[in-house]
Amino acid sequence: MAEKVLMKGNEAVAEAAIQAGCLHYFGYPITPQTEIAAYMAKRMPKINGSFLQAESEIAAINMVLGAAAAGRRAMTSSSSPGVALKSEGLSYLAGCDLPAVVVNIQRGGPGLGGIQPSQADYFHATKGGGHGDFHMIVLAPSGVQEMFDLTGLAFDLADQYRVTSMLLSDGILGQMMEPVDLAAPPPRELPPKSWALTGTKGQRKPNIVNSLYMNPEDLERLVMERYERYAQIAAAETRWEEFLTEDADVVVVAYGALARVAKNAIAAARAQGIRAGLLRPITLWPFPKAALQALAGRAKAFVAAELSMGQMVEDIELAVRCARPVLRCNRTGGMVPTPEEVLQKLEEATA
Amino acid sequence: MTPARITVFAGHYGSGKTTLAVNYALRLAREGRRAALCDMDIVNPYFRTADYADLLREGGVELISSPYANTNVEMPWIPLESRRVLDDPALWSVIDLGGDDSGAMAIGRFAAALREKNAALWLVVNPCRPLTRDVESLREVRDAIEAAAGLRFTGMVGNANLGQETEMATVLSSLPLLRELSRAMDLPIIFTAVETSLAEEAAGALTPEDGALFPVTRYQKAAWSVWEPKKA
């Protein structure tokens, strides 16, 4: 095992991108993700990469689109209000079938909201993220090691399926420091980027990257093909963690930093004799529906814990087809529940 | 060791400046001095000395901090009260700076006064941080901080740790590297900071080059700090 280093979550994201061969970072500062840009600004010039502080979030995402169209690995990062601004570019990336990685270190909203952690962009990330029919792969890390690992995976998945991968994280994970093993993941075999705009050199017909179709039949066919790819992603790339679910009467569903709070609550519940467990989605899209359905056959109740007024809860209720009660545990605006607050819900669910 | 009346903790982001500053200020107070901790972090809106307000009050340390620390108002702020750090000859003061040169800029305006009062400026180094684990990188950080602060470092503090995963091996394996960095920077190691629970065991491994042993308590523990149940 490689020697571990101590890193902030945001730094781990930046380092993972660099190790994944991302030489093009475009961003605009916003708390609590600025360390990503700061790290890139320091490192990129030393490895002949490009760091560019764009004039706006919208400019940055369109620079990513340009680099991606040229077949390069490119990334941008921001926090909630800034990611919302990128919605136009996210839709165009999908419409052009370009692989890219976008990081959202969420903060409280709506509007400018606050700078404390949040998970209130779940809808934005998992239900499109822009106009038109499309999905992004949404990865939700739960610690600094996963900030590193899932960023690398985000690049591979984006290239494999020609989609945008979004790392949906939050201010806690971005700012917290933990030891990280910077070992590279095993390489994936990825398709060649034969569609990229790299210059024909007179050897082939020009490639075209475009999202405008004058003929609705063509557009429908392309969108439908895209949805076949989404089905492949759902079948092959859905990821989740189960913690003490084998005998659980009540299962907390939580992701990201909040899943860690939930684990502490579950340990406390177990100490009181409550058989509690956790299902932690690692991909929020595709959502681990089948795993939840399986648990619905055994568990008596679920608790949807979120740093929002309840967004993922809708996917949980759909997944278990409302066959079991789903209690809610919500804090918002930058507030984080204590393990005791989650424990109280576990007690209610099993009362 | 007789402390300087004003001690400034500077260094790379996440090197442990705040933790050390809090521990050092509490120690000054325990030694019977009138102590103050002055938060001049203009970079990081999180994990501020304000987190330790209760602890510092109970430990007899006056906290001089921005009223906006740890709020939703992200405002770089140098407290007006920080003037007393310079002016009050009976106040033993510890200044906690933000990371890197962007953080060090905050004391630039006080550089002349700090020089005149023989303030100590310590470079906090955690060699487990990826951008300060070799001479070249640390020199870059040091030079940038000195340029921004308008001051030269007077010493180095070794603070090798991996947060909650810090073990004896983390401390011991870092000692030779810290010595190498100290020689290359031409800065004596004033303290080697070691987690209180490991301090006794570490003491035997320290040489005079490692400076004094500084037992440090890491007070931060959050709701999201997870201890997974040990596998049977």
Side-chain angles (χ1 to χ4, degrees):
Chain A
M1 196 189 74
E3 196 187 349
K4 285 187 176 181
V5 292
L6 186 66
M7 291 184 106
K8 269 195 171 195
N10 283 335
E11 296 171 337
V13 167
E15 183 58 34
I18 289 168
Q19 290 195 18
C22 168
L23 289 177
H24 307 283
Y25 172 88
F26 310 101
Y28 188 82
I30 180 171
T31 303
Q33 67 80 50
T34 301
E35 291 84 1
I36 300 178
Y39 196 91
M40 291 299 198
K42 275 213 170 77
R43 294 272 281 125
M44 281 298 189
K46 292 180 181 162
I47 55 173
N48 291 320
S50 52
F51 163 84
L52 202 147
Q53 180 172 325
E55 68 270 35
S56 72
E57 286 87 349
I58 302 171
I61 188 80
N62 283 300
M63 290 172 186
V64 168
L65 188 146
R72 299 305 190 92
R73 284 190 159 180
M75 183 171 99
T76 184
S77 62
S78 191
S79 179
S80 307
V83 174
L85 282 169
K86 295 181 192 292
S87 298
E88 176 189 271
L90 294 175
S91 175
Y92 278 74
L93 281 163
C96 298
D97 293 308
L98 291 173
V101 173
V102 176
V103 180
N104 183 357
I105 307 295
Q106 297 169 89
R107 56 187 257 179
L112 270 179
I115 61 170
Q116 305 299 337
S118 166
Q119 295 178 330
D121 300 349
Y122 180 91
F123 282 154
H124 179 267
T126 62
K127 311 295 174 192
H131 66 280
D133 271 333
F134 77 98
H135 278 297
M136 298 181 285
I137 294 176
V138 182
L139 297 159
S142 189
V144 177
Q145 184 68 54
E146 274 194 352
M147 291 285 266
F148 179 82
D149 295 339
L150 295 184
T151 300
L153 179 67
F155 278 100
D156 281 352
L157 293 179
D159 279 354
Q160 182 164 347
Y161 297 103
R162 289 180 66 180
V163 295
T164 294
S165 297
M166 177 175 278
L167 194 79
L168 191 69
S169 181
D170 63 60
I172 294 174
L173 294 165
Q175 295 297 322
M176 74 191 300
M177 291 181 80
E178 282 182 336
V180 192
D181 181 349
L182 296 179
R188 265 191 187 225
E189 202 171 313
L190 296 168
K193 294 184 173 177
S194 53
W195 44 264
L197 309 183
T198 52
T200 65
K201 302 172 187 74
Q203 305 291 309
R204 57 166 168 82
K205 278 174 51 178
N207 287 333
I208 295 171
V209 168
N210 171 46
S211 70
L212 174 65
Y213 295 90
M214 304 309 277
N215 180 343
E217 284 87 354
D218 289 345
L219 180 54
E220 185 187 50
R221 182 178 48 76
L222 276 164
V223 172
M224 285 184 166
E225 280 173 15
R226 213 167 275 142
Y227 270 71
E228 283 167 24
R229 230 180 320 138
Y230 294 154
Q232 288 169 21
I233 296 171
E237 307 295 350
T238 306
R239 286 169 166 76
W240 71 95
E241 178 201 356
E242 289 186 38
F243 175 74
L244 305 178
T245 51
E246 297 80 5
D247 64 342
D249 290 327
V250 55
V251 174
V252 184
V253 186
Y255 64 96
L258 189 50
R260 303 160 67 104
V261 179
K263 280 187 178 176
N264 288 331
I266 287 162
R270 291 251 163 197
Q272 299 182 14
I274 298 173
R275 289 202 298 254
L278 171 77
L279 184 138
R280 174 172 75 88
I282 297 172
T283 51
L284 296 175
W285 194 92
F287 192 69
K289 285 183 210 160
L292 269 165
Q293 275 161 16
L295 285 177
R298 316 200 292 266
K300 297 188 182 79
F302 292 87
V303 173
E306 298 182 74
L307 302 180
S308 73
M309 289 308 287
Q311 301 189 9
M312 179 176 65
V313 66
E314 296 184 6
D315 285 334
I316 300 168
E317 283 173 338
L318 270 176
V320 304
R321 303 195 191 285
C322 299
R324 295 280 182 259
V326 183
L327 281 73
R328 293 162 182 242
C329 178
N330 307 104
R331 295 299 301 265
T332 193
M335 300 302 292
V336 179
T338 60
E340 290 71 27
E341 285 176 71
V342 182
L343 176 61
Q344 208 179 337
K345 291 288 168 181
L346 291 171
E347 289 167 349
E348 261 177 57
T350 50
Chain B
M1 190 190 95
T2 315
R5 190 181 67 74
I6 304 171
T7 304
V8 186
F9 286 87
H12 181 46
Y13 287 116
S15 54
K17 297 175 294 297
T18 300
T19 305
L20 291 182
V22 167
N23 275 274
Y24 190 68
L26 286 169
R27 173 166 147 162
L28 289 173
R30 274 199 307 273
E31 289 168 353
R33 297 185 167 85
R34 190 155 73 80
L37 176 53
C38 180
D39 182 346
M40 285 211 203
D41 189 340
I42 56 166
V43 181
N44 195 347
Y46 309 96
F47 308 124
R48 300 281 295 264
T49 48
D51 293 342
Y52 308 95
D54 294 341
L55 183 79
L56 292 165
R57 196 181 319 109
E58 285 158 23
V61 174
E62 181 192 356
L63 174 60
I64 301 173
S65 165
S66 156
Y68 299 113
N70 286 352
T71 69
N72 269 344
V73 185
E74 193 183 345
M75 188 179 292
W77 181 282
I78 295 173
L80 183 61
E81 285 285 284
S82 61
R83 230 12 258 198
R84 283 200 290 116
V85 168
L86 301 173
D87 296 342
D88 184 344
L91 193 61
W92 296 80
S93 301
V94 179
I95 296 177
D96 181 28
L97 283 182
D100 286 356
D101 46 324
S102 355
M105 210 180 293
I107 52 163
R109 62 175 298 182
F110 304 118
L114 287 167
R115 251 195 313 270
E116 183 198 321
K117 292 174 197 310
N118 291 318
L121 177 62
W122 289 345
L123 176 63
V124 180
V125 181
N126 179 359
C128 300
R129 293 278 292 146
L131 298 188
T132 53
R133 41 189 356 214
D134 60 79
V135 169
E136 200 51 44
S137 317
L138 185 63
R139 185 172 286 137
E140 208 177 296
V141 170
R142 179 202 63 181
D143 290 352
I145 291 175
E146 289 188 340
L151 291 164
R152 304 299 297 271
F153 279 105
T154 58
M156 195 176 114
V157 178
N159 186 34
N161 76 88
L162 283 172
Q164 284 180 21
E165 286 183 28
T166 308
E167 290 169 356
M168 203 56 216
T170 319
V171 177
L172 295 183
S173 67
S174 71
L175 292 174
L177 176 56
L178 283 168
R179 287 172 203 144
E180 184 196 336
L181 294 171
S182 148
R183 281 176 224 138
M185 299 304 121
D186 199 18
L187 290 173
I189 301 177
I190 310 290
F191 286 120
T192 291
V194 180
E195 186 89 25
T196 310
S197 59
L198 302 172
E200 202 176 322
E201 200 183 337
L206 297 195
T207 68
E209 202 182 344
D210 303 318
L213 174 73
F214 185 23
V216 163
T217 308
R218 296 184 205 285
Y219 298 100
Q220 271 182 28
K221 190 188 154 196
W224 51 86
S225 305
V226 175
W227 286 271
E228 302 248 0
K230 289 258 188 304
K231 290 205 176 70

